[in-house]
Amino acid sequence: MMAADAPLLDVADLGIQLTTSRGPAKAVREVSFTLRRGETLGIVGESGCGKSITALALLGLLPDSADVSGSIRLDGRELVGLADADYCKLRGNRISMIFQEPMTALNPMHTIGHQVAEPLLRHTGCSATEAKRQAIALLDRVGLPDPARRYDAYPHQFSGGQRQRVTIAMALACSPDVLIADEPTTALDVTIQRQILDLIADLVAERGMAMILISHDLGVIAENVQRMIVMYGGTVVESGTTDAVFSRMGHPYTQGLFRARPRLGARRGTRLATIAGTVPELADLPAGCPFADRCTLVVDACRAALPSLSEIGAGHGVRCIRTDAALSRDPAGVIA
Amino acid sequence: MIAQAGTAPAPNAFWRRALRHRSFVVGALLCLLVLGAALLSLVWTPWSAYEIDVASKLRPPSSAHWLGTDVLGRDIVSLLLVGARATILVGIIAVGIGLTCGVCLGLIAAAQRGWTEEVIMRFSDFTFAFPAVLSAIMLAAVIGPGMVTSITAIGIFQIPVFVRVTRGSAGAIWAREFILAARAAGKGRVRITIEHVLPNILSILIVQATIQFALAILAEAALSYLGLGTQPPQPSWGRMLNDAQTLLFQSPSLAVYPGAAIALAVLGLNLLGDGLRDLLDPRLARQR
Ligand SMILES: Nc1ncnc2c1ncn2[C@@H]1O[C@H](COP(=O)(O)OP(=O)(O)OP(=O)(O)O)[C@@H](O)[C@H]1O
Ligand code: SF4
Ligand SMILES: [Mg+2]
């Protein structure tokens, strides 16, 4: 048997090579993290930094042309290179995912009741009436009003927030060990965002699931997860417990992301700080530090090779060769 | 978007919407008319469609022969009724062949991608390059002209059309996010194809099938006209056109009747297809 504290999910040196219109490109490189049972992990980063493809790689759902290297272990079992038929038994059952767009993640031709009950029928082998009973209970738990009556309604008959509740019910149907939520609230308005995130947090705690929450919003990460990784240019630039990272941001990119976050109650007229420049194109990611072109602390050595992840505290790693300069420049950040 | 209290459209709600859909109603009536004619001909025709009575040839319309008689003295109404049978039979079987084979191949191509898709699409291009008339001529050389020949030739010709339509629309569905969500829920390719892809392209396929049915009717008429399809004395609308050809200037009405019958059947099928496309989409359900 495995030791009690063995990680549930162990991702080591994950690399993803995609075929783009401009030839093969390393979309993700040297991504490593672990997730213990019941733990919550946040992945934060700008659009296009590789968050979604990392999540899809965990589920084995990358396009056939993608080449995955490194290792992904679930309870010690290697998932990279797993046959699709075996993967099907894990997806939805042990790992499931909530998608960004509730408007498109539901099949328009099937009733929502069918879509929630279906994974139950398939993975748990219960009877149709039992699946229906459980699906209604689940829809009730995620806060869908009057689920028994609206069991046979179609997705277009619901609002965006209600649809996201339905997709959450679908993802939770079989009580997975790992829930991946890929920007589950980006498409929703602010008040609904709050409710949905609270709902997810409650459900995760209630069922003892592990969760990977993906977001581009540091505030969402700060409030919802225990540990976090910051991604940039397809790699992890900083990782650690949420408390450690927010109290001591060691990477210039994390610091930039923190300064660039919109703040409520900011003095009128103060301009939002931004990080100059844009995310590099996949096909021409630099060999060295991916942030080099936008970093104010850049020196020649940064461009020579991808800096390695160095520890600046217990379990707090930073991929920057000038962490000391970064830390002294920006003393302890304050949690918003 | 305000969510509204909604339940699944019940079967009679479907019919209520259907009866209010103008092109569906007109199309369905025209199709029923043709079907009714074919069924009626099994039990009753005003005259025998096979009996030749040269003495009363080329009669104008009268109370005995409502639309007159043809060059062999056969009653036109009876010929049209019996001819509808050949039309429907050829259409159903040929479209059935094309639909079954084409949709299966198209779905496999969309689900498997890679070399499987390549082989299927090249095969379908190859088949498509043979016009139905050419395959009918080749088939007629082997098994002789007749209804089987025209059904087979038209059916084979329909396969690549359905392969392409299926592959194209299924490919678009595979790219949708709910397919990714379904895969994330642990469904395999076969299950996704049956539960998610097929229902979402069904309306496209039904519309395409009605169009192909119309084309099959035209092709059957063309093959019969060329003498490759239905053989005398078995009447069909295409054969009637063939027979009328030599007398086009003497009695043009002989060509007008089967021509009009073909046109009405084709029109009916197209309208029916349009109507079904609207009616089968649950998103349009509440707008009508
Ligand atoms: N199928 C694909 N083929 C080629 N490139 C892809 C493919 N999918 C994603 N990419 C590229 O990989 C990079 C990372 O994409 P990803 O979707 O992971 O970004 P993300 O961090 O999730 O961004 P967002 O916040 O916008 O969702 C992007 O540059 C994107 O263009
Ligand atoms: S390694 Fe260099 S370029 Fe990269 S973040 Fe650190 S200082 Fe900036
Ligand atoms: Mg994304």
Side-chain angles (χ1 to χ4, degrees):
Chain A
M1 268 330 277
M2 248 163 298
D5 60 344
L8 175 64
L9 190 67
D10 187 0
V11 177
D13 200 18
L14 180 70
I16 301 170
Q17 178 150 324
L18 292 174
T19 344
T20 66
S21 52
R22 295 173 55 196
K26 270 258 170 228
V28 166
R29 46 183 177 161
E30 294 187 33
V31 167
S32 303
F33 59 86
T34 59
L35 188 68
R36 271 175 277 275
R37 228 165 257 285
E39 191 176 40
T40 54
L41 173 78
I43 302 182
V44 66
E46 273 169 294
S47 187
C49 69
K51 306 181 296 290
S52 295
I53 49 173
T54 303
L56 291 179
L58 300 182
L59 282 164
L61 288 180
L62 289 171
D64 294 339
S65 60
D67 183 30
V68 181
S69 58
S71 108
I72 302 170
R73 286 170 183 277
L74 179 71
D75 266 343
R77 181 178 182 199
E78 180 61 60
L79 300 186
V80 174
L82 192 68
D84 199 54
D86 293 326
Y87 236 130
C88 282
K89 294 186 193 121
L90 299 178
R91 296 186 199 124
N93 191 21
R94 301 210 53 202
I95 315 181
S96 58
M97 183 151 171
I98 303 171
F99 290 86
Q100 180 166 351
E101 275 288 339
M103 293 298 172
T104 52
L106 292 169
N107 186 334
M109 305 297 285
H110 291 311
T111 65
I112 59 134
H114 170 87
Q115 298 191 56
V116 176
E118 205 277 341
L120 284 166
L121 276 173
R122 193 155 31 85
H123 285 304
T124 67
C126 61
S127 71
T129 35
E130 173 60 16
K132 178 167 182 177
R133 197 192 58 75
Q134 285 192 30
I136 291 177
L138 211 58
L139 286 169
D140 189 46
R141 176 63 192 89
V142 298
L144 194 79
D146 204 1
R149 197 170 59 81
R150 305 197 63 191
Y151 190 82
D152 290 322
Y154 286 90
H156 71 258
Q157 296 166 319
F158 293 90
S159 70
Q162 289 174 328
R163 281 189 223 190
Q164 194 59 297
R165 289 176 196 273
V166 174
T167 63
I168 292 171
M170 272 169 75
L172 293 185
C174 294
S175 302
D177 299 322
V178 185
L179 175 70
I180 303 172
D182 187 359
E183 313 210 25
T185 57
T186 307
L188 306 174
D189 67 50
V190 187
T191 45
I192 307 289
Q193 275 187 18
R194 234 295 170 359
Q195 293 172 8
I196 296 284
L197 284 170
D198 288 347
L199 172 69
I200 294 176
D202 289 349
L203 288 165
V204 165
E206 176 177 300
R207 293 167 179 240
M209 285 183 287
M211 171 175 70
I212 299 178
L213 176 66
I214 298 175
S215 179
H216 56 255
D217 185 341
L218 268 185
V220 166
I221 296 295
E223 288 169 22
N224 289 285
V225 297
Q226 296 152 353
R227 283 199 308 125
M228 62 187 280
I229 62 182
V230 182
M231 282 188 75
Y232 186 82
T235 192
V236 176
V237 295
E238 184 156 4
S239 68
T241 63
T242 312
D243 290 344
V245 173
F246 276 92
S247 57
R248 234 170 127 234
M249 294 179 176
H251 198 280
Y253 175 66
T254 318
Q255 295 175 350
L257 210 56
F258 184 70
R259 275 193 298 270
R261 81 199 185 286
R263 259 160 296 189
L264 279 179
R267 215 163 14 98
R268 211 147 52 93
T270 44
R271 286 199 39 212
L272 201 60
T274 52
I275 309 176
T278 50
V279 186
E281 271 277 330
L282 269 193
D284 36 50
L285 269 181
C289 173
F291 193 52
D293 289 341
R294 299 169 75 188
C295 183
T296 49
L297 299 176
V298 60
V299 292
D300 283 347
C302 301
R303 302 184 199 273
L306 184 66
S308 57
L309 209 61
S310 53
E311 292 228 331
I312 63 164
H316 184 181
V318 177
R319 199 186 288 277
C320 172
I321 57 171
R322 302 199 62 203
T323 307
D324 295 338
L327 279 171
S328 64
R329 177 183 67 161
D330 197 9
V334 202
I335 297 178
Chain B
M1 180 179 139
I2 308 274
Q4 37 182 262
T7 43
N12 51 7
F14 175 86
W15 288 112
R16 218 175 308 133
R17 281 197 301 129
L19 291 178
R20 257 182 283 151
H21 195 289
R22 201 165 307 145
S23 54
F24 176 83
V25 171
V26 176
L29 284 179
L30 285 173
C31 292
L32 282 177
L33 188 71
V34 177
L35 190 65
L39 291 178
L40 179 67
S41 76
L42 292 174
V43 291
W44 176 83
T45 48
W47 299 76
S48 165
Y50 302 93
E51 215 163 274
I52 293 170
D53 177 10
V54 186
S56 56
K57 69 170 189 180
L58 296 178
R59 288 271 167 81
S62 65
S63 58
H65 298 284
W66 299 334
L67 295 178
T69 60
D70 77 346
V71 73
L72 296 175
R74 293 176 297 184
D75 177 53
I76 300 275
V77 173
S78 308
L79 283 176
L80 283 176
L81 291 179
V82 176
R85 267 191 249 161
T87 300
I88 289 183
L89 205 64
V90 173
I92 287 181
I93 300 180
V95 173
I97 294 174
L99 191 73
T100 323
C101 302
V103 170
C104 287
L105 289 173
L107 287 175
I108 292 172
Q112 287 303 124
R113 312 296 299 270
W115 63 266
T116 318
E117 177 179 28
E118 200 61 26
V119 169
I120 291 176
M121 296 321 286
R122 290 300 80 75
F123 160 79
S124 115
D125 288 347
F126 177 78
T127 324
F128 196 66
F130 278 90
V133 175
L134 195 60
S135 6
I137 291 173
M138 298 196 310
L139 267 173
V142 183
I143 60 173
M147 205 185 252
V148 175
T149 298
S150 61
I151 287 177
T152 317
I154 298 170
I156 291 176
F157 185 67
Q158 305 258 7
I159 295 177
V161 179
F162 282 104
V163 171
R164 285 179 185 189
V165 170
T166 309
R167 162 67 192 89
S169 47
I173 299 293
W174 272 99
R176 300 269 293 274
E177 197 171 49
F178 64 81
I179 296 290
L180 196 60
R183 293 178 65 198
K187 294 187 192 178
R189 288 178 201 274
V190 176
R191 191 177 271 276
I192 288 181
T193 297
I194 294 168
E195 286 180 12
H196 294 267
V197 178
L198 198 54
N200 277 287
I201 64 169
L202 202 59
S203 56
I204 296 174
L205 292 180
I206 288 177
V207 174
Q208 189 67 37
T210 55
I211 295 171
Q212 293 307 120
F213 202 116
L215 289 177
I217 290 178
L218 293 174
E220 193 278 332
L223 291 180
S224 300
Y225 176 80
L226 292 173
L228 294 167
T230 329
Q231 292 301 300
Q234 179 66 43
S236 88
W237 295 347
R239 281 222 58 79
M240 291 173 73
L241 275 179
N242 188 356
D243 296 342
Q245 178 194 208
T246 46
L247 300 163
L248 208 53
F249 295 103
Q250 264 174 281
S251 44
S253 60
L254 282 185
V256 169
Y257 298 132
I262 293 170
L264 281 181
V266 170
L267 177 70
L269 282 163
N270 281 323
L271 290 175
L272 185 71
D274 269 1
L276 282 173
R277 186 193 51 215
D278 293 350
L279 292 168
L280 288 173
D281 189 337
R283 278 158 299 185
L284 299 175
R286 68 200 156 126
Q287 284 154 22
R288 268 172 216 284

